[in-house]
Amino acid sequence: MDTEKSEEFYNRLKQQLADSTVWPSNYLYKFIVPTEGGKIEQIQRIFDNTGAVIESKQSKKGNYTSISITVNRKNPEAVIEKYREVGTIKGVISL
């Protein structure tokens, strides 16, 4: 995703979150991650010390893992901050 499109995406997401949710609030992140290569651990480190509840489930063949993370965020900017951090990990799909 190029930078211009991602900025547009984040701006739209920020507005949607501001309009639809009373903050602070719990937010559910979902990611699809290649099972091998330490990417799951990288995502877990990003959410360390945030009080996040992290659930994971491997795909049928075990090549991918879906990760669901529920964590309390203080505002839409805090939600987007974590998306940007996870976005630096190659091969991770944000849902």
Side-chain angles (χ1 to χ4, degrees), residues 56-84:
S56 61
K57 182 179 177 186
Q58 272 194 5
S59 65
K60 198 172 194 176
K61 292 183 180 179
N63 295 330
Y64 294 93
T65 300
S66 68
I67 300 177
S68 298
I69 302 169
T70 304
V71 63
N72 192 277
R73 306 306 306 163
K74 63 182 176 183
N75 55 38
E77 291 83 7
V79 170
I80 291 168
E81 174 187 323
K82 290 299 182 189
Y83 272 124
R84 289 183 188 272

PDB file of all heavy atoms in Angstrom, residues 56-84:
ATOM      1  N   SER A  56      -5.127 -16.398  19.537  1.00  0.00           N
ATOM      2  CA  SER A  56      -4.611 -16.781  18.225  1.00  0.00           C
ATOM      3  C   SER A  56      -5.158 -18.141  17.825  1.00  0.00           C
ATOM      4  O   SER A  56      -5.495 -18.967  18.679  1.00  0.00           O
ATOM      5  CB  SER A  56      -3.087 -16.792  18.223  1.00  0.00           C
ATOM      6  OG  SER A  56      -2.603 -17.724  19.145  1.00  0.00           O
ATOM      7  N   LYS A  57      -5.236 -18.344  16.522  1.00  0.00           N
ATOM      8  CA  LYS A  57      -5.727 -19.610  15.983  1.00  0.00           C
ATOM      9  C   LYS A  57      -4.997 -19.889  14.677  1.00  0.00           C
ATOM     10  O   LYS A  57      -4.984 -19.058  13.769  1.00  0.00           O
ATOM     11  CB  LYS A  57      -7.238 -19.518  15.736  1.00  0.00           C
ATOM     12  CG  LYS A  57      -7.832 -20.803  15.224  1.00  0.00           C
ATOM     13  CD  LYS A  57      -9.326 -20.669  15.009  1.00  0.00           C
ATOM     14  CE  LYS A  57      -9.872 -21.957  14.431  1.00  0.00           C
ATOM     15  NZ  LYS A  57     -11.275 -21.838  14.064  1.00  0.00           N
ATOM     16  N   GLN A  58      -4.394 -21.076  14.591  1.00  0.00           N
ATOM     17  CA  GLN A  58      -3.674 -21.461  13.377  1.00  0.00           C
ATOM     18  C   GLN A  58      -4.645 -21.895  12.292  1.00  0.00           C
ATOM     19  O   GLN A  58      -5.707 -22.453  12.577  1.00  0.00           O
ATOM     20  CB  GLN A  58      -2.707 -22.605  13.663  1.00  0.00           C
ATOM     21  CG  GLN A  58      -1.364 -22.150  14.124  1.00  0.00           C
ATOM     22  CD  GLN A  58      -0.333 -23.256  14.071  1.00  0.00           C
ATOM     23  OE1 GLN A  58      -0.600 -24.364  13.590  1.00  0.00           O
ATOM     24  NE2 GLN A  58       0.845 -22.973  14.584  1.00  0.00           N
ATOM     25  N   SER A  59      -4.234 -21.657  11.047  1.00  0.00           N
ATOM     26  CA  SER A  59      -5.017 -22.119   9.908  1.00  0.00           C
ATOM     27  C   SER A  59      -4.959 -23.644   9.847  1.00  0.00           C
ATOM     28  O   SER A  59      -4.145 -24.282  10.530  1.00  0.00           O
ATOM     29  CB  SER A  59      -4.483 -21.523   8.609  1.00  0.00           C
ATOM     30  OG  SER A  59      -3.165 -22.005   8.354  1.00  0.00           O
ATOM     31  N   LYS A  60      -5.806 -24.215   9.029  1.00  0.00           N
ATOM     32  CA  LYS A  60      -5.902 -25.675   8.923  1.00  0.00           C
ATOM     33  C   LYS A  60      -4.544 -26.315   8.612  1.00  0.00           C
ATOM     34  O   LYS A  60      -4.175 -27.320   9.206  1.00  0.00           O
ATOM     35  CB  LYS A  60      -6.918 -26.023   7.835  1.00  0.00           C
ATOM     36  CG  LYS A  60      -7.429 -27.422   7.888  1.00  0.00           C
ATOM     37  CD  LYS A  60      -8.573 -27.593   6.904  1.00  0.00           C
ATOM     38  CE  LYS A  60      -9.321 -28.873   7.160  1.00  0.00           C
ATOM     39  NZ  LYS A  60     -10.483 -29.013   6.297  1.00  0.00           N
ATOM     40  N   LYS A  61      -3.796 -25.732   7.679  1.00  0.00           N
ATOM     41  CA  LYS A  61      -2.492 -26.281   7.295  1.00  0.00           C
ATOM     42  C   LYS A  61      -1.355 -25.777   8.187  1.00  0.00           C
ATOM     43  O   LYS A  61      -0.234 -26.256   8.077  1.00  0.00           O
ATOM     44  CB  LYS A  61      -2.182 -25.939   5.845  1.00  0.00           C
ATOM     45  CG  LYS A  61      -3.099 -26.643   4.862  1.00  0.00           C
ATOM     46  CD  LYS A  61      -2.699 -26.332   3.439  1.00  0.00           C
ATOM     47  CE  LYS A  61      -3.614 -27.023   2.457  1.00  0.00           C
ATOM     48  NZ  LYS A  61      -3.259 -26.710   1.066  1.00  0.00           N
ATOM     49  N   GLY A  62      -1.658 -24.780   9.028  1.00  0.00           N
ATOM     50  CA  GLY A  62      -0.648 -24.275   9.949  1.00  0.00           C
ATOM     51  C   GLY A  62       0.288 -23.231   9.382  1.00  0.00           C
ATOM     52  O   GLY A  62       1.226 -22.812  10.056  1.00  0.00           O
ATOM     53  N   ASN A  63       0.036 -22.803   8.143  1.00  0.00           N
ATOM     54  CA  ASN A  63       0.919 -21.811   7.532  1.00  0.00           C
ATOM     55  C   ASN A  63       0.685 -20.403   8.074  1.00  0.00           C
ATOM     56  O   ASN A  63       1.594 -19.578   8.091  1.00  0.00           O
ATOM     57  CB  ASN A  63       0.727 -21.786   6.014  1.00  0.00           C
ATOM     58  CG  ASN A  63       1.142 -23.088   5.369  1.00  0.00           C
ATOM     59  OD1 ASN A  63       2.020 -23.775   5.867  1.00  0.00           O
ATOM     60  ND2 ASN A  63       0.507 -23.430   4.272  1.00  0.00           N
ATOM     61  N   TYR A  64      -0.538 -20.124   8.472  1.00  0.00           N
ATOM     62  CA  TYR A  64      -0.909 -18.794   8.948  1.00  0.00           C
ATOM     63  C   TYR A  64      -1.586 -18.889  10.306  1.00  0.00           C
ATOM     64  O   TYR A  64      -2.167 -19.917  10.653  1.00  0.00           O
ATOM     65  CB  TYR A  64      -1.858 -18.100   7.955  1.00  0.00           C
ATOM     66  CG  TYR A  64      -1.192 -17.795   6.648  1.00  0.00           C
ATOM     67  CD1 TYR A  64      -1.256 -18.690   5.587  1.00  0.00           C
ATOM     68  CD2 TYR A  64      -0.459 -16.629   6.480  1.00  0.00           C
ATOM     69  CE1 TYR A  64      -0.621 -18.430   4.388  1.00  0.00           C
ATOM     70  CE2 TYR A  64       0.185 -16.355   5.283  1.00  0.00           C
ATOM     71  CZ  TYR A  64       0.101 -17.251   4.242  1.00  0.00           C
ATOM     72  OH  TYR A  64       0.740 -16.979   3.061  1.00  0.00           O
ATOM     73  N   THR A  65      -1.528 -17.795  11.032  1.00  0.00           N
ATOM     74  CA  THR A  65      -2.199 -17.694  12.327  1.00  0.00           C
ATOM     75  C   THR A  65      -3.020 -16.415  12.334  1.00  0.00           C
ATOM     76  O   THR A  65      -2.522 -15.361  11.924  1.00  0.00           O
ATOM     77  CB  THR A  65      -1.177 -17.667  13.477  1.00  0.00           C
ATOM     78  OG1 THR A  65      -0.412 -18.877  13.436  1.00  0.00           O
ATOM     79  CG2 THR A  65      -1.854 -17.532  14.819  1.00  0.00           C
ATOM     80  N   SER A  66      -4.275 -16.522  12.773  1.00  0.00           N
ATOM     81  CA  SER A  66      -5.079 -15.312  12.948  1.00  0.00           C
ATOM     82  C   SER A  66      -4.910 -14.881  14.399  1.00  0.00           C
ATOM     83  O   SER A  66      -4.924 -15.703  15.321  1.00  0.00           O
ATOM     84  CB  SER A  66      -6.543 -15.573  12.620  1.00  0.00           C
ATOM     85  OG  SER A  66      -7.116 -16.436  13.559  1.00  0.00           O
ATOM     86  N   ILE A  67      -4.713 -13.592  14.581  1.00  0.00           N
ATOM     87  CA  ILE A  67      -4.518 -13.035  15.912  1.00  0.00           C
ATOM     88  C   ILE A  67      -5.600 -11.993  16.153  1.00  0.00           C
ATOM     89  O   ILE A  67      -5.799 -11.089  15.330  1.00  0.00           O
ATOM     90  CB  ILE A  67      -3.127 -12.384  16.047  1.00  0.00           C
ATOM     91  CG1 ILE A  67      -2.040 -13.418  15.794  1.00  0.00           C
ATOM     92  CG2 ILE A  67      -2.961 -11.743  17.415  1.00  0.00           C
ATOM     93  CD1 ILE A  67      -0.649 -12.864  15.822  1.00  0.00           C
ATOM     94  N   SER A  68      -6.316 -12.144  17.265  1.00  0.00           N
ATOM     95  CA  SER A  68      -7.316 -11.166  17.692  1.00  0.00           C
ATOM     96  C   SER A  68      -6.820 -10.555  18.986  1.00  0.00           C
ATOM     97  O   SER A  68      -6.460 -11.271  19.929  1.00  0.00           O
ATOM     98  CB  SER A  68      -8.666 -11.839  17.932  1.00  0.00           C
ATOM     99  OG  SER A  68      -9.144 -12.417  16.747  1.00  0.00           O
ATOM    100  N   ILE A  69      -6.795  -9.228  19.018  1.00  0.00           N
ATOM    101  CA  ILE A  69      -6.281  -8.520  20.188  1.00  0.00           C
ATOM    102  C   ILE A  69      -7.324  -7.515  20.642  1.00  0.00           C
ATOM    103  O   ILE A  69      -7.700  -6.621  19.878  1.00  0.00           O
ATOM    104  CB  ILE A  69      -4.961  -7.791  19.857  1.00  0.00           C
ATOM    105  CG1 ILE A  69      -3.926  -8.801  19.352  1.00  0.00           C
ATOM    106  CG2 ILE A  69      -4.462  -7.021  21.070  1.00  0.00           C
ATOM    107  CD1 ILE A  69      -2.691  -8.186  18.756  1.00  0.00           C
ATOM    108  N   THR A  70      -7.797  -7.678  21.859  1.00  0.00           N
ATOM    109  CA  THR A  70      -8.730  -6.721  22.443  1.00  0.00           C
ATOM    110  C   THR A  70      -7.971  -5.918  23.486  1.00  0.00           C
ATOM    111  O   THR A  70      -7.355  -6.488  24.391  1.00  0.00           O
ATOM    112  CB  THR A  70      -9.921  -7.444  23.097  1.00  0.00           C
ATOM    113  OG1 THR A  70     -10.546  -8.279  22.117  1.00  0.00           O
ATOM    114  CG2 THR A  70     -10.935  -6.442  23.641  1.00  0.00           C
ATOM    115  N   VAL A  71      -8.019  -4.599  23.325  1.00  0.00           N
ATOM    116  CA  VAL A  71      -7.275  -3.730  24.240  1.00  0.00           C
ATOM    117  C   VAL A  71      -8.009  -2.404  24.383  1.00  0.00           C
ATOM    118  O   VAL A  71      -8.651  -1.940  23.442  1.00  0.00           O
ATOM    119  CB  VAL A  71      -5.822  -3.526  23.735  1.00  0.00           C
ATOM    120  CG1 VAL A  71      -5.781  -2.831  22.400  1.00  0.00           C
ATOM    121  CG2 VAL A  71      -4.972  -2.801  24.759  1.00  0.00           C
ATOM    122  N   ASN A  72      -7.938  -1.825  25.578  1.00  0.00           N
ATOM    123  CA  ASN A  72      -8.569  -0.534  25.810  1.00  0.00           C
ATOM    124  C   ASN A  72      -7.674   0.562  25.247  1.00  0.00           C
ATOM    125  O   ASN A  72      -6.487   0.613  25.542  1.00  0.00           O
ATOM    126  CB  ASN A  72      -8.804  -0.321  27.311  1.00  0.00           C
ATOM    127  CG  ASN A  72      -9.700   0.864  27.559  1.00  0.00           C
ATOM    128  OD1 ASN A  72      -9.257   1.995  27.575  1.00  0.00           O
ATOM    129  ND2 ASN A  72     -10.981   0.576  27.742  1.00  0.00           N
ATOM    130  N   ARG A  73      -8.259   1.409  24.419  1.00  0.00           N
ATOM    131  CA  ARG A  73      -7.527   2.534  23.816  1.00  0.00           C
ATOM    132  C   ARG A  73      -8.218   3.828  24.243  1.00  0.00           C
ATOM    133  O   ARG A  73      -9.435   3.863  24.408  1.00  0.00           O
ATOM    134  CB  ARG A  73      -7.505   2.443  22.293  1.00  0.00           C
ATOM    135  CG  ARG A  73      -6.978   1.142  21.701  1.00  0.00           C
ATOM    136  CD  ARG A  73      -5.615   0.701  22.171  1.00  0.00           C
ATOM    137  NE  ARG A  73      -4.603   1.717  22.000  1.00  0.00           N
ATOM    138  CZ  ARG A  73      -3.421   1.691  22.616  1.00  0.00           C
ATOM    139  NH1 ARG A  73      -3.113   0.725  23.427  1.00  0.00           N
ATOM    140  NH2 ARG A  73      -2.558   2.650  22.428  1.00  0.00           N
ATOM    141  N   LYS A  74      -7.442   4.891  24.379  1.00  0.00           N
ATOM    142  CA  LYS A  74      -8.018   6.140  24.887  1.00  0.00           C
ATOM    143  C   LYS A  74      -8.682   6.979  23.819  1.00  0.00           C
ATOM    144  O   LYS A  74      -9.557   7.786  24.119  1.00  0.00           O
ATOM    145  CB  LYS A  74      -6.966   6.952  25.626  1.00  0.00           C
ATOM    146  CG  LYS A  74      -5.804   7.410  24.774  1.00  0.00           C
ATOM    147  CD  LYS A  74      -4.782   8.165  25.590  1.00  0.00           C
ATOM    148  CE  LYS A  74      -3.591   8.514  24.700  1.00  0.00           C
ATOM    149  NZ  LYS A  74      -2.550   9.177  25.438  1.00  0.00           N
ATOM    150  N   ASN A  75      -8.283   6.795  22.544  1.00  0.00           N
ATOM    151  CA  ASN A  75      -8.871   7.585  21.454  1.00  0.00           C
ATOM    152  C   ASN A  75      -8.515   6.960  20.107  1.00  0.00           C
ATOM    153  O   ASN A  75      -7.703   6.028  20.050  1.00  0.00           O
ATOM    154  CB  ASN A  75      -8.383   9.044  21.522  1.00  0.00           C
ATOM    155  CG  ASN A  75      -6.875   9.161  21.521  1.00  0.00           C
ATOM    156  OD1 ASN A  75      -6.188   8.412  20.837  1.00  0.00           O
ATOM    157  ND2 ASN A  75      -6.350  10.092  22.287  1.00  0.00           N
ATOM    158  N   PRO A  76      -9.110   7.456  19.018  1.00  0.00           N
ATOM    159  CA  PRO A  76      -8.806   6.885  17.689  1.00  0.00           C
ATOM    160  C   PRO A  76      -7.333   6.967  17.317  1.00  0.00           C
ATOM    161  O   PRO A  76      -6.808   6.067  16.657  1.00  0.00           O
ATOM    162  CB  PRO A  76      -9.663   7.736  16.745  1.00  0.00           C
ATOM    163  CG  PRO A  76     -10.806   8.207  17.579  1.00  0.00           C
ATOM    164  CD  PRO A  76     -10.215   8.431  18.948  1.00  0.00           C
ATOM    165  N   GLU A  77      -6.641   8.011  17.745  1.00  0.00           N
ATOM    166  CA  GLU A  77      -5.217   8.139  17.436  1.00  0.00           C
ATOM    167  C   GLU A  77      -4.417   6.987  18.041  1.00  0.00           C
ATOM    168  O   GLU A  77      -3.474   6.489  17.432  1.00  0.00           O
ATOM    169  CB  GLU A  77      -4.658   9.477  17.943  1.00  0.00           C
ATOM    170  CG  GLU A  77      -5.158  10.685  17.200  1.00  0.00           C
ATOM    171  CD  GLU A  77      -6.520  11.189  17.697  1.00  0.00           C
ATOM    172  OE1 GLU A  77      -7.046  10.683  18.720  1.00  0.00           O
ATOM    173  OE2 GLU A  77      -7.078  12.081  17.042  1.00  0.00           O
ATOM    174  N   ALA A  78      -4.798   6.555  19.247  1.00  0.00           N
ATOM    175  CA  ALA A  78      -4.105   5.441  19.901  1.00  0.00           C
ATOM    176  C   ALA A  78      -4.338   4.132  19.144  1.00  0.00           C
ATOM    177  O   ALA A  78      -3.442   3.290  19.061  1.00  0.00           O
ATOM    178  CB  ALA A  78      -4.576   5.317  21.353  1.00  0.00           C
ATOM    179  N   VAL A  79      -5.542   3.965  18.575  1.00  0.00           N
ATOM    180  CA  VAL A  79      -5.840   2.781  17.757  1.00  0.00           C
ATOM    181  C   VAL A  79      -4.941   2.771  16.533  1.00  0.00           C
ATOM    182  O   VAL A  79      -4.289   1.773  16.213  1.00  0.00           O
ATOM    183  CB  VAL A  79      -7.333   2.770  17.333  1.00  0.00           C
ATOM    184  CG1 VAL A  79      -7.583   1.680  16.295  1.00  0.00           C
ATOM    185  CG2 VAL A  79      -8.236   2.587  18.539  1.00  0.00           C
ATOM    186  N   ILE A  80      -4.873   3.889  15.857  1.00  0.00           N
ATOM    187  CA  ILE A  80      -4.094   3.991  14.618  1.00  0.00           C
ATOM    188  C   ILE A  80      -2.598   3.836  14.891  1.00  0.00           C
ATOM    189  O   ILE A  80      -1.873   3.230  14.103  1.00  0.00           O
ATOM    190  CB  ILE A  80      -4.424   5.315  13.903  1.00  0.00           C
ATOM    191  CG1 ILE A  80      -5.869   5.224  13.380  1.00  0.00           C
ATOM    192  CG2 ILE A  80      -3.436   5.605  12.784  1.00  0.00           C
ATOM    193  CD1 ILE A  80      -6.457   6.521  12.898  1.00  0.00           C
ATOM    194  N   GLU A  81      -2.146   4.332  16.028  1.00  0.00           N
ATOM    195  CA  GLU A  81      -0.734   4.200  16.401  1.00  0.00           C
ATOM    196  C   GLU A  81      -0.305   2.736  16.396  1.00  0.00           C
ATOM    197  O   GLU A  81       0.751   2.381  15.858  1.00  0.00           O
ATOM    198  CB  GLU A  81      -0.531   4.815  17.783  1.00  0.00           C
ATOM    199  CG  GLU A  81       0.855   4.634  18.360  1.00  0.00           C
ATOM    200  CD  GLU A  81       0.928   5.111  19.803  1.00  0.00           C
ATOM    201  OE1 GLU A  81       0.273   6.111  20.135  1.00  0.00           O
ATOM    202  OE2 GLU A  81       1.629   4.446  20.590  1.00  0.00           O
ATOM    203  N   LYS A  82      -1.146   1.853  16.964  1.00  0.00           N
ATOM    204  CA  LYS A  82      -0.801   0.423  16.996  1.00  0.00           C
ATOM    205  C   LYS A  82      -0.878  -0.196  15.598  1.00  0.00           C
ATOM    206  O   LYS A  82      -0.057  -1.041  15.256  1.00  0.00           O
ATOM    207  CB  LYS A  82      -1.714  -0.337  17.968  1.00  0.00           C
ATOM    208  CG  LYS A  82      -1.450   0.002  19.412  1.00  0.00           C
ATOM    209  CD  LYS A  82      -0.034  -0.358  19.828  1.00  0.00           C
ATOM    210  CE  LYS A  82       0.218  -0.062  21.294  1.00  0.00           C
ATOM    211  NZ  LYS A  82       1.632  -0.196  21.646  1.00  0.00           N
ATOM    212  N   TYR A  83      -1.854   0.230  14.786  1.00  0.00           N
ATOM    213  CA  TYR A  83      -1.909  -0.261  13.401  1.00  0.00           C
ATOM    214  C   TYR A  83      -0.621   0.100  12.661  1.00  0.00           C
ATOM    215  O   TYR A  83      -0.077  -0.699  11.902  1.00  0.00           O
ATOM    216  CB  TYR A  83      -3.098   0.324  12.640  1.00  0.00           C
ATOM    217  CG  TYR A  83      -4.373  -0.473  12.769  1.00  0.00           C
ATOM    218  CD1 TYR A  83      -5.539   0.134  13.232  1.00  0.00           C
ATOM    219  CD2 TYR A  83      -4.434  -1.816  12.412  1.00  0.00           C
ATOM    220  CE1 TYR A  83      -6.721  -0.581  13.340  1.00  0.00           C
ATOM    221  CE2 TYR A  83      -5.608  -2.544  12.519  1.00  0.00           C
ATOM    222  CZ  TYR A  83      -6.744  -1.923  12.985  1.00  0.00           C
ATOM    223  OH  TYR A  83      -7.907  -2.635  13.092  1.00  0.00           O
ATOM    224  N   ARG A  84      -0.136   1.311  12.860  1.00  0.00           N
ATOM    225  CA  ARG A  84       1.107   1.744  12.194  1.00  0.00           C
ATOM    226  C   ARG A  84       2.301   0.908  12.666  1.00  0.00           C
ATOM    227  O   ARG A  84       3.146   0.522  11.866  1.00  0.00           O
ATOM    228  CB  ARG A  84       1.364   3.222  12.435  1.00  0.00           C
ATOM    229  CG  ARG A  84       0.405   4.136  11.697  1.00  0.00           C
ATOM    230  CD  ARG A  84       0.785   5.596  11.947  1.00  0.00           C
ATOM    231  NE  ARG A  84      -0.186   6.519  11.419  1.00  0.00           N
ATOM    232  CZ  ARG A  84      -0.187   6.995  10.174  1.00  0.00           C
ATOM    233  NH1 ARG A  84       0.730   6.577   9.321  1.00  0.00           N
ATOM    234  NH2 ARG A  84      -1.091   7.852   9.776  1.00  0.00           N
TER     235      ARG A  84
END
